[in-house]
PDB file of all heavy atoms in Angstrom:
ATOM      1  N   ALA A 607       7.378  53.113  16.803  1.00 52.00           N
ATOM      2  CA  ALA A 607       8.338  53.188  17.909  1.00 52.00           C
ATOM      3  C   ALA A 607       9.756  52.929  17.429  1.00 52.00           C
ATOM      4  O   ALA A 607      10.699  53.626  17.810  1.00 52.00           O
ATOM      5  CB  ALA A 607       7.962  52.190  18.999  1.00 52.00           C
ATOM      6  N   ILE A 608       9.922  51.931  16.561  1.00 51.00           N
ATOM      7  CA  ILE A 608      11.262  51.593  16.081  1.00 51.00           C
ATOM      8  C   ILE A 608      11.815  52.701  15.188  1.00 51.00           C
ATOM      9  O   ILE A 608      12.957  53.133  15.330  1.00 51.00           O
ATOM     10  CB  ILE A 608      11.228  50.253  15.330  1.00 51.00           C
ATOM     11  CG1 ILE A 608      10.934  49.112  16.308  1.00 51.00           C
ATOM     12  CG2 ILE A 608      12.549  49.986  14.628  1.00 51.00           C
ATOM     13  CD1 ILE A 608      10.707  47.788  15.632  1.00 51.00           C
ATOM     14  N   LEU A 609      10.999  53.174  14.242  1.00 49.00           N
ATOM     15  CA  LEU A 609      11.487  54.185  13.307  1.00 49.00           C
ATOM     16  C   LEU A 609      11.758  55.517  13.995  1.00 49.00           C
ATOM     17  O   LEU A 609      12.659  56.252  13.605  1.00 49.00           O
ATOM     18  CB  LEU A 609      10.481  54.380  12.174  1.00 49.00           C
ATOM     19  CG  LEU A 609      10.300  53.206  11.206  1.00 49.00           C
ATOM     20  CD1 LEU A 609       9.425  53.622  10.039  1.00 49.00           C
ATOM     21  CD2 LEU A 609      11.634  52.700  10.687  1.00 49.00           C
ATOM     22  N   SER A 610      10.976  55.852  14.998  1.00 50.00           N
ATOM     23  CA  SER A 610      11.169  57.132  15.674  1.00 50.00           C
ATOM     24  C   SER A 610      12.362  57.112  16.614  1.00 50.00           C
ATOM     25  O   SER A 610      12.865  58.154  17.009  1.00 50.00           O
ATOM     26  CB  SER A 610       9.910  57.493  16.463  1.00 50.00           C
ATOM     27  OG  SER A 610       9.710  56.563  17.513  1.00 50.00           O
ATOM     28  N   GLY A 611      12.819  55.926  16.963  1.00 54.00           N
ATOM     29  CA  GLY A 611      13.929  55.822  17.907  1.00 54.00           C
ATOM     30  C   GLY A 611      13.477  55.835  19.349  1.00 54.00           C
ATOM     31  O   GLY A 611      14.257  55.565  20.251  1.00 54.00           O
ATOM     32  N   ASP A 612      12.200  56.161  19.601  1.00 58.00           N
ATOM     33  CA  ASP A 612      11.664  56.134  20.959  1.00 58.00           C
ATOM     34  C   ASP A 612      11.127  54.736  21.227  1.00 58.00           C
ATOM     35  O   ASP A 612       9.986  54.418  20.918  1.00 58.00           O
ATOM     36  CB  ASP A 612      10.551  57.172  21.102  1.00 58.00           C
ATOM     37  CG  ASP A 612       9.998  57.213  22.527  1.00 58.00           C
ATOM     38  OD1 ASP A 612      10.587  56.541  23.396  1.00 58.00           O
ATOM     39  OD2 ASP A 612       8.993  57.902  22.754  1.00 58.00           O
ATOM     40  N   THR A 613      11.973  53.917  21.775  1.00 60.00           N
ATOM     41  CA  THR A 613      11.619  52.505  21.964  1.00 60.00           C
ATOM     42  C   THR A 613      11.227  52.208  23.406  1.00 60.00           C
ATOM     43  O   THR A 613      11.390  51.095  23.879  1.00 60.00           O
ATOM     44  CB  THR A 613      12.800  51.612  21.555  1.00 60.00           C
ATOM     45  OG1 THR A 613      13.954  51.986  22.327  1.00 60.00           O
ATOM     46  CG2 THR A 613      13.112  51.759  20.083  1.00 60.00           C
ATOM     47  N   SER A 614      10.718  53.213  24.105  1.00 68.00           N
ATOM     48  CA  SER A 614      10.354  53.005  25.507  1.00 68.00           C
ATOM     49  C   SER A 614       9.313  51.900  25.654  1.00 68.00           C
ATOM     50  O   SER A 614       9.437  51.022  26.509  1.00 68.00           O
ATOM     51  CB  SER A 614       9.812  54.307  26.105  1.00 68.00           C
ATOM     52  OG  SER A 614      10.774  55.327  26.021  1.00 68.00           O
ATOM     53  N   LEU A 615       8.285  51.964  24.804  1.00 60.00           N
ATOM     54  CA  LEU A 615       7.234  50.953  24.895  1.00 60.00           C
ATOM     55  C   LEU A 615       7.765  49.568  24.560  1.00 60.00           C
ATOM     56  O   LEU A 615       7.389  48.577  25.186  1.00 60.00           O
ATOM     57  CB  LEU A 615       6.074  51.320  23.961  1.00 60.00           C
ATOM     58  CG  LEU A 615       5.251  52.544  24.370  1.00 60.00           C
ATOM     59  CD1 LEU A 615       4.224  52.859  23.303  1.00 60.00           C
ATOM     60  CD2 LEU A 615       4.566  52.303  25.707  1.00 60.00           C
ATOM     61  N   LEU A 616       8.661  49.495  23.550  1.00 61.00           N
ATOM     62  CA  LEU A 616       9.234  48.200  23.198  1.00 61.00           C
ATOM     63  C   LEU A 616      10.117  47.670  24.319  1.00 61.00           C
ATOM     64  O   LEU A 616      10.086  46.482  24.645  1.00 61.00           O
ATOM     65  CB  LEU A 616      10.046  48.320  21.905  1.00 61.00           C
ATOM     66  CG  LEU A 616       9.243  48.548  20.618  1.00 61.00           C
ATOM     67  CD1 LEU A 616      10.175  48.583  19.425  1.00 61.00           C
ATOM     68  CD2 LEU A 616       8.200  47.474  20.431  1.00 61.00           C
ATOM     69  N   GLU A 617      10.916  48.560  24.903  1.00 74.00           N
ATOM     70  CA  GLU A 617      11.763  48.139  26.019  1.00 74.00           C
ATOM     71  C   GLU A 617      10.900  47.666  27.183  1.00 74.00           C
ATOM     72  O   GLU A 617      11.224  46.676  27.844  1.00 74.00           O
ATOM     73  CB  GLU A 617      12.657  49.298  26.450  1.00 74.00           C
ATOM     74  CG  GLU A 617      13.743  49.643  25.438  1.00 74.00           C
ATOM     75  CD  GLU A 617      14.556  50.854  25.870  1.00 74.00           C
ATOM     76  OE1 GLU A 617      14.361  51.313  27.010  1.00 74.00           O
ATOM     77  OE2 GLU A 617      15.362  51.331  25.068  1.00 74.00           O
ATOM     78  N   LYS A 618       9.818  48.388  27.420  1.00 73.00           N
ATOM     79  CA  LYS A 618       8.894  47.985  28.483  1.00 73.00           C
ATOM     80  C   LYS A 618       8.309  46.604  28.185  1.00 73.00           C
ATOM     81  O   LYS A 618       8.254  45.734  29.065  1.00 73.00           O
ATOM     82  CB  LYS A 618       7.777  49.014  28.609  1.00 73.00           C
ATOM     83  CG  LYS A 618       6.717  48.693  29.664  1.00 73.00           C
ATOM     84  CD  LYS A 618       5.716  49.826  29.759  1.00 73.00           C
ATOM     85  CE  LYS A 618       4.612  49.505  30.766  1.00 73.00           C
ATOM     86  NZ  LYS A 618       3.719  48.444  30.288  1.00 73.00           N
ATOM     87  N   SER A 619       7.910  46.401  26.932  1.00 66.00           N
ATOM     88  CA  SER A 619       7.344  45.107  26.548  1.00 66.00           C
ATOM     89  C   SER A 619       8.368  43.988  26.696  1.00 66.00           C
ATOM     90  O   SER A 619       8.068  42.911  27.214  1.00 66.00           O
ATOM     91  CB  SER A 619       6.834  45.176  25.112  1.00 66.00           C
ATOM     92  OG  SER A 619       6.359  43.927  24.687  1.00 66.00           O
ATOM     93  N   LYS A 620       9.607  44.249  26.248  1.00 72.00           N
ATOM     94  CA  LYS A 620      10.655  43.227  26.355  1.00 72.00           C
ATOM     95  C   LYS A 620      10.959  42.899  27.812  1.00 72.00           C
ATOM     96  O   LYS A 620      11.122  41.731  28.182  1.00 72.00           O
ATOM     97  CB  LYS A 620      11.923  43.711  25.648  1.00 72.00           C
ATOM     98  CG  LYS A 620      11.809  43.771  24.133  1.00 72.00           C
ATOM     99  CD  LYS A 620      13.082  44.315  23.517  1.00 72.00           C
ATOM    100  CE  LYS A 620      12.968  44.416  22.000  1.00 72.00           C
ATOM    101  NZ  LYS A 620      14.194  44.994  21.393  1.00 72.00           N
ATOM    102  N   LEU A 621      11.032  43.955  28.636  1.00 80.00           N
ATOM    103  CA  LEU A 621      11.304  43.719  30.055  1.00 80.00           C
ATOM    104  C   LEU A 621      10.179  42.921  30.698  1.00 80.00           C
ATOM    105  O   LEU A 621      10.430  42.030  31.515  1.00 80.00           O
ATOM    106  CB  LEU A 621      11.488  45.059  30.778  1.00 80.00           C
ATOM    107  CG  LEU A 621      12.900  45.645  30.775  1.00 80.00           C
ATOM    108  CD1 LEU A 621      12.906  47.010  31.443  1.00 80.00           C
ATOM    109  CD2 LEU A 621      13.882  44.719  31.478  1.00 80.00           C
ATOM    110  N   GLU A 622       8.954  43.250  30.342  1.00 76.00           N
ATOM    111  CA  GLU A 622       7.819  42.517  30.909  1.00 76.00           C
ATOM    112  C   GLU A 622       7.880  41.042  30.533  1.00 76.00           C
ATOM    113  O   GLU A 622       7.581  40.169  31.355  1.00 76.00           O
ATOM    114  CB  GLU A 622       6.511  43.140  30.424  1.00 76.00           C
ATOM    115  CG  GLU A 622       6.202  44.478  31.085  1.00 76.00           C
ATOM    116  CD  GLU A 622       4.986  45.153  30.482  1.00 76.00           C
ATOM    117  OE1 GLU A 622       4.599  44.794  29.345  1.00 76.00           O
ATOM    118  OE2 GLU A 622       4.432  46.047  31.134  1.00 76.00           O
ATOM    119  N   LYS A 623       8.297  40.767  29.283  1.00 72.00           N
ATOM    120  CA  LYS A 623       8.418  39.371  28.858  1.00 72.00           C
ATOM    121  C   LYS A 623       9.536  38.666  29.625  1.00 72.00           C
ATOM    122  O   LYS A 623       9.376  37.529  30.077  1.00 72.00           O
ATOM    123  CB  LYS A 623       8.689  39.305  27.354  1.00 72.00           C
ATOM    124  CG  LYS A 623       7.511  39.739  26.498  1.00 72.00           C
ATOM    125  CD  LYS A 623       7.888  39.772  25.031  1.00 72.00           C
ATOM    126  CE  LYS A 623       6.754  40.335  24.188  1.00 72.00           C
ATOM    127  NZ  LYS A 623       7.137  40.463  22.768  1.00 72.00           N
ATOM    128  N   LYS A 624      10.678  39.351  29.766  1.00 80.00           N
ATOM    129  CA  LYS A 624      11.789  38.746  30.502  1.00 80.00           C
ATOM    130  C   LYS A 624      11.418  38.524  31.963  1.00 80.00           C
ATOM    131  O   LYS A 624      11.759  37.493  32.551  1.00 80.00           O
ATOM    132  CB  LYS A 624      13.025  39.641  30.398  1.00 80.00           C
ATOM    133  CG  LYS A 624      13.645  39.686  29.010  1.00 80.00           C
ATOM    134  CD  LYS A 624      14.865  40.594  28.985  1.00 80.00           C
ATOM    135  CE  LYS A 624      15.494  40.643  27.594  1.00 80.00           C
ATOM    136  NZ  LYS A 624      16.666  41.553  27.557  1.00 80.00           N
ATOM    137  N   ILE A 625      10.728  39.506  32.536  1.00 85.00           N
ATOM    138  CA  ILE A 625      10.298  39.365  33.929  1.00 85.00           C
ATOM    139  C   ILE A 625       9.330  38.196  34.062  1.00 85.00           C
ATOM    140  O   ILE A 625       9.394  37.425  35.030  1.00 85.00           O
ATOM    141  CB  ILE A 625       9.656  40.679  34.425  1.00 85.00           C
ATOM    142  CG1 ILE A 625      10.739  41.753  34.602  1.00 85.00           C
ATOM    143  CG2 ILE A 625       8.909  40.468  35.734  1.00 85.00           C
ATOM    144  CD1 ILE A 625      10.192  43.129  34.915  1.00 85.00           C
ATOM    145  N   ALA A 626       8.439  38.053  33.075  1.00 79.00           N
ATOM    146  CA  ALA A 626       7.487  36.938  33.113  1.00 79.00           C
ATOM    147  C   ALA A 626       8.216  35.598  33.076  1.00 79.00           C
ATOM    148  O   ALA A 626       7.857  34.657  33.796  1.00 79.00           O
ATOM    149  CB  ALA A 626       6.515  37.045  31.939  1.00 79.00           C
ATOM    150  N   VAL A 627       9.274  35.527  32.250  1.00 78.00           N
ATOM    151  CA  VAL A 627      10.056  34.287  32.173  1.00 78.00           C
ATOM    152  C   VAL A 627      10.747  34.007  33.504  1.00 78.00           C
ATOM    153  O   VAL A 627      10.709  32.882  34.027  1.00 78.00           O
ATOM    154  CB  VAL A 627      11.096  34.373  31.034  1.00 78.00           C
ATOM    155  CG1 VAL A 627      12.044  33.185  31.086  1.00 78.00           C
ATOM    156  CG2 VAL A 627      10.399  34.420  29.681  1.00 78.00           C
ATOM    157  N   LEU A 628      11.385  35.051  34.071  1.00 84.00           N
ATOM    158  CA  LEU A 628      12.077  34.863  35.346  1.00 84.00           C
ATOM    159  C   LEU A 628      11.097  34.552  36.474  1.00 84.00           C
ATOM    160  O   LEU A 628      11.405  33.753  37.366  1.00 84.00           O
ATOM    161  CB  LEU A 628      12.900  36.111  35.682  1.00 84.00           C
ATOM    162  CG  LEU A 628      14.145  36.352  34.822  1.00 84.00           C
ATOM    163  CD1 LEU A 628      14.910  37.571  35.319  1.00 84.00           C
ATOM    164  CD2 LEU A 628      15.057  35.136  34.830  1.00 84.00           C
TER     165      LEU A 628
END
Side-chain angles (χ1 to χ4, degrees):
I608 292 173
L609 292 188
S610 65
D612 182 8
T613 57
S614 301
L615 291 175
L616 290 183
E617 290 177 8
K618 178 176 178 290
S619 176
K620 290 178 182 178
L621 273 176
E622 287 174 341
K623 291 175 186 176
K624 290 180 180 179
I625 289 173
V627 171
L628 289 184

